[in-house]
Amino acid sequence: MRRPLLVANWKMHKSVAEAEDFAAALLPLLPPAGAELAIAPPFTALAALGRALRGSPVLLAAQNANPAESGAFTGEVAPAMLAELGCRYVIAGHSERRGLYGESDDFVAAKVCALLAAGLRPIVCVGESLEVRRAGGGAAEVVCRQLQNSLAGVPAGLAAELAVAYEPIWAIGTGETATPQAAQQMHAALREKLRGLFGAAAEAIRIQYGGSVKPGNAAALLAQPDIDGALVGGASLNPESFAALAAESGGAS
Ligand code: 13P
């Protein structure tokens, strides 16, 4: 039985003060037991949010990292720097980074390996474009290939540390979600790919769904056998709405 994983991806939203206010408002609203919860704020709010969440069931996550340990990489942040701040999860290969900043599968794979080596848990994002979806039929193949290539070099012994997020690009920030049945089909295909890559460890890997998840549609998605949580953008920016999602995902531990 996989414990659901609900992660807030705040993208480029919230100042330090806003992140602190969010934590203060969220914690009393959280339901008592169930899903594992994490918040990925902008880098600038990590330290303050980490302090505000200390002693709570909500974990700290980051939105990105560079695969290198250190060096001349202006504007980048290394995995060990995120571990030092108390991050547990780090999003790797979000479609916005792939699309806007040209991150390739190879680069994402290097990042995933570096995160694992630093003791962090990568959330590896995959998902097809509208073009691929419209072409019909081949989306699962495209997304499974993207997953395999984004996991190149991951040692099987560390596979259970991974989470995967299936985020169809056409569903991100559009208000359009995959139906629970269509999402389940893709998640089952991804699980099969993970079995091929890692054997029995695949059963422990949480596969999250992302793309316009909000209170009201999360429960039906999470009821599917291979949907093990959600990666949430817009609906995670408001404490009431994130708490409602935590309740639909099975609460906090
Ligand atoms: P929305 O929930 O705003 O559609 O964003 C999804 C996402 O990209 C989470 O990583």
Side-chain angles (χ1 to χ4, degrees):
M1 182 63 188
R2 291 176 292 270
R3 184 174 172 213
L5 174 62
L6 176 67
V7 178
N9 174 10
W10 283 356
K11 307 189 180 183
M12 203 168 71
H13 294 286
K14 293 197 190 293
S15 65
V16 170
E18 288 167 341
E20 288 170 337
D21 289 349
F22 181 99
L26 174 72
L27 296 179
L29 300 177
L30 285 180
E36 188 171 19
L37 304 175
I39 300 175
F43 287 136
T44 45
L46 276 171
L49 186 66
R51 278 192 295 276
L53 295 176
R54 198 167 293 153
S56 86
V58 185
L59 301 168
L60 196 61
Q63 299 177 18
N64 185 31
N66 188 281
E69 279 178 27
S70 64
F73 301 102
T74 301
E76 294 294 282
V77 172
M81 297 170 180
L82 299 172
E84 185 187 24
L85 287 178
C87 288
R88 185 70 163 279
Y89 289 93
V90 181
I91 298 168
H94 191 280
S95 61
E96 286 151 16
R97 297 216 56 87
R98 292 176 186 266
L100 297 169
Y101 305 108
E103 291 195 4
S104 65
D105 287 346
D106 286 353
F107 187 71
V108 174
K111 186 183 309 220
V112 169
C113 292
L115 289 168
L116 288 168
L120 291 157
R121 299 182 143 198
I123 299 173
V124 186
C125 298
V126 293
E128 81 284 5
S129 62
L130 186 58
E131 213 176 24
V132 168
R133 164 85 14 179
R134 284 213 175 118
E141 202 180 305
V142 168
V143 175
C144 285
R145 196 178 324 121
Q146 194 184 22
L147 181 65
Q148 176 162 5
N149 293 341
S150 302
L151 294 176
V154 169
L158 290 178
E161 302 298 313
L162 296 169
V164 170
Y166 167 57
E167 300 202 305
I169 296 170
W170 48 269
I172 295 179
T174 59
E176 233 184 289
T177 35
T179 63
Q181 293 71 25
Q184 165 57 26
Q185 256 183 12
M186 185 65 86
H187 283 231
L190 290 167
R191 177 95 50 212
E192 203 47 45
K193 172 57 72 182
L194 292 170
R195 284 191 189 107
L197 293 171
F198 302 122
E203 310 308 325
I205 299 175
R206 269 87 54 90
I207 308 179
Q208 302 174 293
Y209 172 80
S212 298
V213 174
K214 55 180 190 287
N217 69 16
L221 286 157
L222 270 97
Q224 301 296 319
D226 288 293
I227 301 184
D228 311 313
L231 184 56
V232 186
S236 76
L237 293 171
N238 168 290
E240 285 78 20
S241 142
F242 190 64
L245 284 169
E248 279 192 44
S249 309
S253 66

